[in-house]
């Protein structure tokens, strides 16, 4: 598509049981930043079955307009149905930017749609901006094993597409109902349907892993253990501190690679991106790949016996000491208070 014919910032909101997923709210924050800087509208796209509530939520959390495609073929995610629908919408409205979440479905859908539209896609971005010189989106993501951050532009093709890691942006504030226009004025219903015979996959069974219960991305407090805990049994120290604070347990890759804890707990470039109010790093050195997943936390506390550990450079509070002594003292103090 010709860049001069395209305008507006689009985000795709994924849904669950008819409501927007938290990753969708986060995209509203990312999209708002781009829309305000480029002086364009922020448009949320909701594709699903019985998802009017998700469209309303998108409006409440900052979308100027919502495009809604509702149909039984979208009840369960399939690449064919969603790629067909999203491609048709983009071809009709010609947005300048299209953001998707770097979730399993977003990572599947993004490249398929980009290929059909013959445009570029920057995957797994950790920040976004508008390039002051060209006005293009500047997509930033880790490159070369996370040793440097690359900023990528897509100057010649539209829409400029990218997937954004969940947890990088925060949910925007909710607008009061009184300031909202009537749903009919901001929701556009699109009657796009995909022939069932064009959907080549069938969902046979859904298995809910216990791991899904570990909601690290939404946790307000995270206590993470690194190689410095010494042995897998010592994760009990981390768990106890997390339980005392009402938080979740995270881990560095060193612990995951050693088989001390499952990958669902891993935080960092190849794990989860988190932005809790409080992140306590215990026995974690602060490698760049770990920082990539937690440096957006409001407050970072580091416990490390090496005063020169790089984690202290990003920490708001640092405790130099043996975590096996410091953590029990902390727990005692917290319980007494
Ligand atoms: C492509 C790529 C992707 C990666 N992705 C990730 C990722 O997603 N997440 C991630 O975490 N890493 C990732 N890594 C690995 C990363 O580079 C580091 O190797 C890893 O983060 C180190 O983990 P650590 O801090 O637990 O261990 P170490 O670096 O070994 O640090 C252990 C720390 O514990 C301290 N310590 C030791 N004993 C104690 C004690 N008793 N009390 C207090 N402190 C103590 C030490 O002083 C040290 O600072 C990736 C690497 C690559 C190449």
């Amino acid at each position: 598509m010709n860049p001069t014919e395209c305008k507006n910032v689009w985000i795709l909101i994924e849904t669950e049981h008819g409501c927007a997923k938290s990753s969708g709210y986060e995209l509203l924050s990312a999209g708002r930043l781009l829309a305000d800087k480029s002086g364009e509208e922020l448009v949320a796209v909701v594709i699903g079955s019985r998802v009017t509530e998700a469209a309303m939520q998108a409006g409440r959390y900052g979308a100027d307009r919502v495009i809604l495609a509702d149909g039984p073929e979208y009840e369960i995610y399939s690449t064919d149905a969603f790629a067909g629908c999203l491609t048709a919408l983009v071809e009709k409205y010609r947005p300048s930017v299209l953001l998707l979440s770097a979730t399993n479905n977003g990572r599947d859908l993004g490249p398929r749609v980009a290929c059909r539209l013959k445009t570029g896609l920057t995957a797994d971005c950790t920040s976004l901006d508008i390039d002051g010189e060209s006005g293009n989106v500047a997509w930033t993501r880790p490159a070369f094993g996370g040793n440097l951050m690359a900023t990528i532009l897509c100057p010649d093709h539209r829409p400029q597409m990218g997937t954004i890691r969940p947890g990088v942006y925060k949910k925007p504030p909710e607008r009061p109902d009184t300031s909202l226009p009537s749903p009919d004025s901001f929701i556009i219903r699109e009657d796009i349907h995909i022939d069932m015979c064009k959907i080549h996959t069938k969902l046979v069974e859904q298995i809910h892993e216990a791991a899904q219960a570990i909601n690290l991305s939404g946790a307000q407090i995270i206590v993470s253990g690194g190689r410095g805990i010494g042995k897998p049994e010592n994760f009990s120290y981390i768990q106890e501190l997390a339980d005392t604070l009402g938080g979740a347990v995270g881990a560095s890759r060193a612990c995951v690679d050693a088989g001390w804890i499952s990958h669902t707990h891993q935080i960092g470039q190849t794990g989860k991106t988190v932005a809790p109010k409080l992140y306590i790093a215990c026995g974690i050195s602060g490698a760049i790949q770990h920082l990539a997943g937690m440096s957006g936390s409001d407050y970072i506390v580091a416990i490390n016996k090496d005063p020169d550990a790089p984690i202290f450079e990003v920490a708001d509070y640092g405790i130099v000491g043996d975590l096996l002594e410091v953590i029990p003292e902390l727990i005692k103090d917290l319980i007494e208070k």
Side-chain angles (χ1 to χ4, degrees):
M1 288 179 190
N2 184 339
T4 57
E5 294 168 357
C6 299
K7 68 167 187 190
N8 291 335
V9 175
W10 278 24
I11 62 154
L12 178 75
I13 297 220
E14 292 181 27
T15 65
E16 195 167 35
H17 310 302
C19 293
K21 283 192 189 172
S22 58
S23 56
Y25 290 121
E26 292 165 15
L27 285 189
L28 281 164
S29 292
R32 171 55 60 205
L33 183 139
L34 299 182
D36 284 354
K37 285 202 172 182
S38 58
E40 295 182 337
E41 278 197 341
L42 173 60
V43 180
V45 178
V46 178
I47 303 172
S49 172
R50 297 182 294 273
V51 285
T52 305
E53 177 51 28
M56 295 291 296
Q57 287 168 330
R60 264 184 237 125
Y61 284 89
D64 298 314
R65 212 167 287 281
V66 182
I67 298 176
L68 174 62
D70 204 309
E73 67 272 49
Y74 309 126
E75 172 139 25
I76 289 160
Y77 174 79
S78 76
T79 317
D80 294 318
F82 276 65
C85 181
L86 188 55
T87 306
L89 290 171
V90 170
E91 281 170 342
K92 177 170 175 184
Y93 289 95
R94 301 178 166 259
S96 176
V97 180
L98 172 56
L99 308 182
L100 297 96
S101 304
T103 53
N104 288 345
N105 290 352
R107 286 171 199 225
D108 175 71
L109 181 62
R112 183 71 67 107
V113 172
C115 192
R116 288 187 186 188
L117 295 167
K118 298 190 171 43
T119 186
L121 177 137
T122 310
D124 227 11
C125 297
T126 52
S127 80
L128 295 177
D129 207 345
I130 296 286
D131 175 51
E133 228 168 85
S134 63
N136 292 308
V137 178
W139 310 87
T140 300
R141 54 153 297 154
F144 295 105
N147 288 316
L148 60 86
M149 302 302 279
T151 296
I152 294 163
L153 307 183
C154 174
D156 301 325
H157 299 277
R158 292 293 182 268
Q160 303 162 84
M161 286 183 64
T163 59
I164 316 298
R165 297 193 82 176
V168 169
Y169 288 91
K170 294 199 168 155
K171 184 178 177 177
E174 186 175 6
R175 295 198 281 198
D177 270 350
T178 45
S179 73
L180 273 179
S182 80
D184 289 344
S185 65
F186 72 87
I187 298 179
I188 303 166
R189 289 177 186 273
E190 278 292 343
D191 204 18
I192 295 180
H193 292 285
I194 307 295
D195 203 330
M196 284 294 191
C197 69
K198 291 205 171 133
I199 301 174
H200 297 99
T201 50
K202 192 169 106 183
L203 182 74
V204 179
E205 191 187 0
Q206 258 180 319
I207 300 168
H208 291 279
E209 287 183 41
Q212 285 173 350
I214 303 161
N215 184 13
L216 271 178
S217 301
Q220 297 292 300
I221 298 176
I222 295 176
V223 184
S224 276
R227 192 167 7 224
I229 66 167
K231 54 183 178 182
E233 295 78 34
N234 287 346
F235 257 108
S236 60
Y237 286 77
I238 308 297
Q239 184 72 58
E240 203 181 332
L241 181 55
D243 290 346
T244 310
L245 291 164
V249 170
S252 72
R253 177 162 157 181
C255 297
V256 174
D257 286 352
W260 295 356
I261 194 163
S262 79
H263 180 259
T264 47
H265 293 268
Q266 185 181 315
I267 289 166
Q269 187 194 316
T270 42
K272 294 199 167 74
T273 304
V274 295
K277 288 199 185 326
L278 175 63
Y279 187 88
I280 307 183
C282 311
I284 293 177
S285 58
I288 187 169
Q289 296 90 354
H290 188 81
L291 302 186
M294 45 62 81
S295 52
S297 308
D298 286 353
Y299 286 97
I300 298 172
V301 176
I303 307 172
N304 198 303
K305 67 179 187 186
D306 173 9
D308 296 322
I311 190 77
F312 288 127
E313 283 165 30
V314 296
D316 298 284
Y317 298 95
I319 303 172
V320 179
D322 184 338
L323 65 90
L324 302 180
E325 291 166 15
V326 173
I327 291 179
E329 284 299 319
L330 264 181
I331 294 172
K332 209 167 101 199
D333 261 25
L334 286 164
I335 292 172
E336 278 168 11
K337 279 171 190 148

